[in-house]
């Protein structure tokens, strides 16, 4: 046992890091229900039903991006939605009262607004 | 013929001072990287004409050193030379750490650190050299780790197999790294000779570094070392130097001979600070002087002279890595033959590059990290033999 | 006993690691066609620059491009972004050197070295021939800048928070970019900003159109004038044609 002390220490240190990460993530989990979100300003429907938007908006945005940017097809992005993510602002005017609320609580970093104005 | 390996004591004051200094440098390098990631790469010395600078030069330098270190352990693993068995573990460990350092250098140079840890795994482009190579580098790290484990266990059969795999993989890695530059349509980059010349320079620099490390380690830990194996490697190093000079000569002679590349080659050979690095750093100090030292019997058989030659070779190969990356970028492409650009909003002429303070800190941080991991590996693991002879 | 088990464990682990690496390899082959697909037979965007109509001191295209794409130049010749730039050429061949003013931009090659070089396919050639950078995906490795033989690509070295044109994103640091032929305007049936500005100052030196359509304005121009492209010897098949170079 003593001969392999060095390797055991190294292996334990290596394994301790993801375990520590898991423990900390669990400790930082949100403790209450979904926060209050600012209701949409207009009375129209969103591009997708609300439940679907809730869990799928990132995948929808990504597929929309690939479709518009890489393939040049703008069929879905017409009229009021012609500006992609910036057009969400038409109904959800303040990101601090809408996007940031869930994202800050779940600690999911928003990469969008470094480039896209909101 | 069992060799006993023992970790270094690692309790002297010098050891702890060194640990502290290296850790401080690592922290400084990490801060510099973090600042450049947060604020933008304008903190570096790079610009739109010279998009790659010191971090990439260091990265290809480490990658080269890594394969060369593996040469020493392959002398035992592949060719069965028992007098090098005592050094196989340290050599493999060093190869592993240097490759990690190379990957870290590349990683810390990216514009978006948060994306570089995710995207290459999701969107692999099999045509891109910069996609193939990190795959080769990381698999090389895995192979070296397994090889080191097998070496430490002492299974002869698997040692031979893994040593062969590691050496073949190292050749692939270096051809790939040479291809990053050689397969790009820039005048001073595109060359089918870059992959093999990369391997040659890697072999010479890595062998030289291992000579220095072995000598230093045995001297500092006061363990006895027989000079004959080191002198033999010195002679091998001399052969590697000749091969490097051969490749460099053919590449440059070819570029000069053909009229289409003569003007650019003139710039490379005589046109700037890099020319001084070429003639003085790479050719004279990096090749002619050490080759003379190693080939002449009187100096080639004396350890201090061999060590001096090894230092010169490492410095010369560092100059060579700089010369692979930078002159090709600082010389503008001939966009419209027959015309010269006299006015433009962008810089169209020859651009010079100077690494910024942040890049220097970053590079020092990576060096310090490799050093720190090395000395603590020596302390925690049984890498260094009690004496440097296998009989 | 210990050794054998350890060895088996390390062999299994290394095989697993190799498998983990092989997975993205296997899934990526089908989409490598993005960089190497043959030129489209449907729509293929190209540009013709008529130097005989391009005035020497005019920078309308450059200014319009900057405004459209929220590019803010500060006079730093080495780090400013110039999606399109005007250079003054002087002949090296004749004794009394002639001078010409030429706009240079990304050539949207049919064989783009930048798209082959990008390790994560952030830079790709669209089916309609436009070479475009995905600024969401780009990780800033700058290999595309190394690979481009025309020095047409730039890198955002610093953050630029200004956004005079809200219809186009502002620049975030750490990503590479180049002219994308105003794909967002072309897709909506409008003209690129530079072409529009050139028409507005009545020079009409820039024309963008469909190279595959024999009746389009650009095809007619190419048919009726001697055209030249930059460094045709490299085989990149650029799609920006110069008249009068």
């Amino acid at each position: 046992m003593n001969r392999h002390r060095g390797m055991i220490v190294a292996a334990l240190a290596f394994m301790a890091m993801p375990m520590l990460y898991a423990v900390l993530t669990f400790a930082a989990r949100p403790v209450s229900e979904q926060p209050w979100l600012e209701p949409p300003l207009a009375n129209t429907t969103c591009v997708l039903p609300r439940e679907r938007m809730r869990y799928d908006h990132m995948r929808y945005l990504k597929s929309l991006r690939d479709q518009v940017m890489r393939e040049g097809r703008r069929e879905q992005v017409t009229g009021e939605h012609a500006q992609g993510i910036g057009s969400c602002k038409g109904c959800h005017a303040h990101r601090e009262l809408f996007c940031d609320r869930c994202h800050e609580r779940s600690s999911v970093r928003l990469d969008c607004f470094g480039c896209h104005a909101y | 013929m069992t060799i006993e390996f023992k970790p270094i004591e690692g309790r002297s004051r010098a050891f702890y001072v060194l640990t502290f200094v290296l850790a401080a440098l690592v922290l400084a390098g990490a801060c510099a990287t973090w600042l450049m990631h947060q604020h933008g790469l304008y903190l570096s010395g790079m610009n739109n004409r010279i998009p790659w600078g010191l971090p990439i030069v260091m990265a290809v330098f480490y990658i080269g050193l890594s394969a060369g270190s593996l040469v020493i352990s392959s002398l035992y693993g592949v060719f069965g030379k028992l007098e090098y068995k005592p050094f196989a573990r340290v050599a493999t460990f060093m190869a592993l750490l240097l490759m990690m350092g190379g990957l870290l250098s590349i990683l810390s140079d990216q514009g978006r650190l948060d994306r570089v840890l995710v995207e290459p795994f999701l969107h692999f482009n099999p045509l891109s050299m910069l996609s193939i190579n990190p795959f080769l580098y990381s698999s090389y790290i895995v192979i070296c780790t397994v090889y080191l484990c097998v070496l430490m266990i002492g299974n002869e059969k698997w040692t031979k197999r893994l040593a062969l795999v590691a050496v073949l993989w190292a050749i692939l890695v270096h051809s790939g790294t040479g291809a990053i530059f050689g397969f790009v349509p820039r005048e001073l980059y595109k060359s089918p000779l870059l992959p093999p010349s990369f391997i040659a320079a890697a072999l010479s620099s890595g062998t030289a570094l291992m000579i220095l490390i072995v000598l230093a380690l045995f001297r500092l830990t006061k363990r006895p070392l027989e000079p004959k194996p080191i002198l033999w490697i010195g002679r091998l190093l001399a052969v590697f130097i000749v091969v490097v000079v051969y490749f460099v000569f053919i590449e440059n002679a070819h570029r000069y001979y053909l009229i289409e590349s003569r003007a650019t080659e003139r710039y490379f050979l005589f046109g700037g600070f890099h020319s001084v690095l070429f003639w003085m750093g790479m050719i004279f100090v990096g090749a002619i002087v050490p080759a003379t030292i190693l080939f002449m019997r009187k100096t080639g058989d004396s350890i201090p002279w061999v060590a001096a030659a090894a230092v010169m070779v490492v410095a010369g190969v560092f100059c060579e890595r700089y010369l692979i990356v930078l002159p090709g970028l600082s010389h503008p492409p001939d966009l419209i033959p027959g015309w010269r650009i006299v006015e433009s909003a962008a810089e169209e002429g020859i651009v010079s590059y100077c690494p910024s303070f942040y890049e220097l800190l970053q590079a020092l941080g990576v060096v310090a990290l490799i050093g720190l991991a090395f000395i603590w590996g020596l302390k925690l693991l049984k890498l260094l033999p009690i004496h440097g002879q296998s009989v | 006993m210990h050794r054998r088990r350890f060895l088996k464990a390390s062999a299994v682990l290394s095989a697993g690691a190799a498998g983990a690496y092989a997975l993205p390899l296997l899934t990526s082959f089908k989409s490598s066609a993005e960089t190497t697909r043959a030129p489209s037979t449907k729509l293929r965007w190209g540009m013709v620059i008529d130097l005989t109509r391009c005035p020497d001191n005019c920078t309308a295209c450059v200014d319009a491009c900057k405004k459209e794409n929220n590019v803010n130049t500060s006079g730093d010749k080495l780090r400013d972004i110039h999606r399109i730039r005007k250079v003054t050429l002087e002949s090296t061949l004749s004794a009394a050197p002639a001078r010409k003013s030429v706009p240079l931009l990304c050539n949207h090659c049919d064989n783009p070295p930048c798209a082959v070089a990008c390790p994560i396919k952030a830079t790709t050639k669209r089916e309609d021939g436009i070479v475009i950078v995905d600024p969401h995906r780009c990780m800033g490795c700058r290999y595309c800048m190394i690979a481009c033989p025309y020095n047409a690509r730039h890198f955002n070295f610093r953050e630029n928070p200004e956004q005079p044109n809200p219809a186009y994103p502002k620049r975030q640091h750490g990503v590479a970019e180049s002219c994308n032929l105003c794909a967002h305007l072309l897709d909506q049936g409008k003209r690129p900003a530079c072409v529009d500005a050139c028409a507005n100052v009545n020079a009409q030196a820039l024309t963008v159109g469909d190279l595959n359509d024999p009746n389009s304005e650009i095809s007619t121009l190419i048919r009726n004038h001697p055209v030249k492209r930059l460094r045709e010897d490299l085989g990149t098949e650029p799609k920006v044609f110069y008249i009068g170079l």
Side-chain angles (χ1 to χ4, degrees):
Chain A
M1 254 323 178
N2 263 334
R3 296 181 301 149
H4 299 294
R5 182 190 44 173
M7 274 204 272
I8 291 176
V9 168
L12 279 177
F14 193 70
M15 284 194 297
M17 285 185 303
M19 285 170 65
L20 187 65
Y21 175 75
V23 167
L24 287 174
T25 309
F26 180 74
R29 71 194 185 284
V31 290
S32 61
E33 293 298 313
Q34 184 188 306
W36 176 86
L37 301 174
E38 186 194 32
L41 292 177
N43 223 357
T44 55
T45 49
C46 190
V47 283
L48 289 175
R50 177 196 292 187
E51 269 316 305
R52 178 123 181 252
M53 229 4 173
R54 218 170 253 173
Y55 69 77
D56 228 12
H57 61 280
M58 195 57 225
R59 201 156 64 98
Y60 169 71
L61 284 170
K62 263 196 204 166
S63 74
L64 200 65
R65 168 194 95 202
D66 283 345
Q67 182 195 309
V68 168
M69 205 201 68
R70 281 172 192 264
E71 299 168 37
R73 292 186 294 124
R74 288 185 175 246
E75 307 97 61
Q76 277 173 273
V77 191
T78 47
E80 60 204 271
H81 299 301
Q83 290 174 26
I85 192 177
S87 68
C88 308
K89 199 164 46 161
C91 290
H92 304 290
H94 305 109
R95 61 171 274 213
E96 307 82 24
L97 300 174
F98 190 72
C99 320
D100 288 355
R101 295 204 140 243
C102 287
H103 274 269
E104 261 168 43
R105 193 174 277 255
S106 55
S107 237
V108 177
R109 195 172 75 95
L110 283 166
D111 199 18
C112 330
F113 304 120
C115 289
H116 290 280
Y118 208 89
Chain B
M1 207 165 305
T2 48
I3 310 168
E4 204 190 314
F5 290 88
K6 207 171 83 142
I8 61 173
E9 284 264 322
R11 281 203 285 261
S12 67
R13 165 131 37 123
F15 187 83
Y16 284 112
V17 167
L18 191 61
T19 303
F20 181 72
V21 169
L22 290 177
L25 277 174
V26 169
L27 198 62
C31 285
T33 309
W34 172 249
L35 282 171
M36 282 213 268
H37 170 62
Q38 278 289 95
H39 297 286
L41 280 173
Y42 74 93
L43 292 174
S44 75
M46 298 183 266
N47 49 58
N48 279 321
R49 281 289 309 282
I50 304 199
W52 276 357
L54 185 66
I56 298 291
V57 170
M58 297 300 288
V60 295
F61 186 51
Y62 290 138
I63 293 168
L65 289 172
S66 169
S69 306
L70 212 58
V71 165
I72 305 291
S73 80
S74 77
L75 283 174
Y76 161 63
V78 176
F79 301 102
K81 282 176 131 10
L82 284 164
E83 50 274 30
Y84 295 103
K85 187 169 175 186
F87 314 117
R89 294 186 190 187
V90 183
T92 315
F93 187 58
M94 200 63 206
L96 178 65
L97 288 181
L98 283 165
M99 183 54 81
M100 284 182 172
L103 256 186
L104 191 64
S105 270
I106 298 178
L107 220 71
S108 52
D109 182 46
Q110 304 301 301
R112 299 295 299 252
L113 261 177
D114 50 331
R115 292 179 186 172
V116 76
L117 296 170
V118 175
E119 306 278 5
F121 299 103
L122 297 175
H123 307 286
F124 189 81
N125 179 5
L127 291 172
S128 164
M129 284 302 153
L130 218 58
S131 215
I132 298 172
N133 276 282
F135 162 71
L136 289 175
Y137 301 156
S138 30
S139 42
Y140 179 84
I141 290 177
V142 170
I143 291 175
C144 273
T145 315
V146 178
Y147 179 36
L148 184 62
C149 292
V150 168
L151 269 177
M152 288 174 72
I153 289 172
N155 186 317
E156 298 276 338
K157 191 175 69 165
W158 281 101
T159 304
K160 279 194 172 35
R161 290 181 186 172
L162 275 169
L164 187 62
V165 171
V167 167
L168 290 174
W169 212 257
I171 293 178
L172 263 182
V173 162
H174 285 71
S175 307
T177 314
I180 291 179
F181 300 97
F183 284 31
V184 148
R186 271 188 191 256
E187 281 261 2
L188 285 173
Y189 273 13
K190 66 176 168 190
S191 161
L193 279 183
L194 258 179
S197 126
F198 222 90
I199 299 179
L203 291 177
S204 77
S205 60
T207 315
L209 185 71
M210 274 321 295
I211 291 177
L212 292 170
I213 287 184
V214 165
L215 288 174
L217 280 179
F218 277 83
R219 171 78 60 94
L220 288 170
T221 56
K222 296 190 187 56
R223 300 187 189 186
L225 175 67
E226 222 186 69
K228 254 182 61 181
I230 307 296
L231 295 175
W232 192 88
I233 298 181
R235 253 166 264 164
L236 191 65
L237 179 62
V239 173
F240 288 150
I241 296 174
V242 172
V243 175
V244 171
V245 172
Y246 172 72
F247 274 115
V248 166
F249 174 71
I250 296 281
E251 209 173 320
N252 285 296
H254 177 258
R255 284 204 182 110
Y256 199 87
Y257 192 89
L258 292 180
I259 301 178
E260 65 186 16
S261 45
R262 191 173 295 172
T264 326
E265 182 61 19
R266 266 212 199 105
Y267 165 76
F268 179 81
L269 290 175
F270 309 113
F273 170 67
H274 56 270
S275 317
V276 175
L277 277 184
F278 178 73
W279 292 109
M280 285 308 297
M282 195 168 124
I283 300 293
F284 189 66
V285 169
I288 296 183
V289 173
T292 322
I293 292 178
L294 292 167
F295 274 125
M296 275 177 24
R297 277 304 94 227
K298 197 169 70 127
T299 47
D301 281 339
S302 123
I303 291 278
W305 278 102
V306 169
V311 171
M312 285 192 246
V313 169
V314 173
V317 171
F318 181 75
C319 292
E320 199 228 350
R321 300 313 191 201
Y322 181 92
L323 289 161
I324 288 178
V325 178
L326 283 159
L329 297 174
S330 56
H331 191 261
D334 189 15
L335 281 177
I336 305 163
W339 295 86
R340 174 179 48 236
I341 297 180
V342 292
E343 243 175 77
S344 167
E347 181 55 63
E348 310 277 0
I350 292 174
V351 185
S352 65
Y353 165 74
C354 185
S356 76
F357 181 60
Y358 291 87
E359 282 174 295
L360 285 170
L361 266 186
Q362 200 180 60
L364 278 176
V366 177
V367 175
L369 188 62
I370 297 177
L372 197 61
F374 187 59
I375 61 175
W376 277 85
L378 287 174
K379 177 171 171 176
L380 292 171
L381 304 168
K382 288 192 208 158
L383 296 172
L384 205 60
I386 289 200
H387 51 75
Q389 55 203 45
S390 57
V391 286
Chain C
M1 253 320 134
H2 277 291
R3 282 182 189 180
R4 219 167 287 164
R5 261 193 292 158
F6 190 92
L7 204 58
K8 279 186 201 154
S10 63
V12 166
L13 270 173
S14 60
Y21 283 122
L23 222 60
L25 247 181
L26 295 170
T27 54
S28 65
F29 276 107
K30 71 161 174 39
S31 40
S32 67
E34 275 173 42
T35 53
T36 54
R37 59 162 68 96
S40 162
T41 46
K42 292 183 282 201
L43 166 64
R44 203 164 130 238
W45 291 111
M47 183 187 254
V48 165
I49 300 183
D50 192 344
L51 292 175
T52 58
R53 307 174 92 158
C54 178
D56 276 357
N57 296 325
C58 176
T59 54
C61 51
V62 175
D63 298 330
C65 173
K66 279 194 220 165
K67 215 167 89 145
E68 173 70 27
N69 293 304
N70 296 317
V71 171
N72 183 29
T73 55
S74 56
D76 180 352
K77 280 186 150 201
L78 285 169
R79 287 202 177 142
D80 275 344
I81 294 180
H82 309 275
R83 291 191 169 197
I84 184 169
R85 65 190 194 275
K86 283 204 72 177
V87 298
T88 309
L89 300 177
E90 197 179 79
S91 165
T92 55
L93 299 175
S94 57
R99 281 196 168 207
K100 258 200 257 255
S101 182
V102 178
L104 291 178
L105 64 158
C106 165
N107 290 290
H108 296 280
C109 310
D110 267 338
N111 294 329
C114 57
V116 171
C118 181
I120 50 178
K121 291 185 279 211
T123 297
T124 50
K125 191 181 77 155
R126 289 187 352 170
E127 227 183 303
D128 57 6
I130 295 181
V131 175
I132 197 165
V133 184
D134 185 349
H136 307 81
R137 199 191 278 186
C138 175
M139 60 186 194
C141 71
R142 303 164 334 267
Y143 195 36
C144 58
M145 296 170 71
I146 306 264
C148 176
Y150 305 102
N151 270 352
R153 304 183 64 90
H154 308 86
F155 185 72
N156 285 290
F157 283 93
R158 43 170 27 116
E159 192 92 29
N160 184 358
E162 291 174 22
Q163 194 176 13
N165 177 17
Y168 195 82
K170 56 185 157 91
R171 344 204 68 64
Q172 212 178 3
H173 72 86
V175 293
E177 64 172 73
S178 81
C179 157
N180 56 5
L181 219 52
C182 283
H184 57 289
L185 295 175
L186 282 177
D187 287 342
Q188 291 173 355
K190 305 189 191 143
R191 291 188 291 196
C194 50
V195 176
D196 210 30
C198 195
N200 285 343
V201 296
N202 266 330
Q204 266 142 10
L206 302 174
T207 319
V208 161
D210 183 6
L211 290 169
N212 280 343
D213 176 10
N215 299 323
S216 69
E217 190 185 348
I218 185 175
S219 302
T220 324
L221 279 170
I222 293 173
R223 245 198 330 267
N224 295 337
H225 299 262
V227 286
K228 205 165 126 175
R229 296 174 295 177
L230 295 180
R231 294 302 300 271
E232 285 164 308
D233 59 307
L234 290 174
T236 50
E237 299 300 326
K239 296 208 291 291
V240 173
F241 296 80
Y242 289 89
I243 296 174
L245 186 61

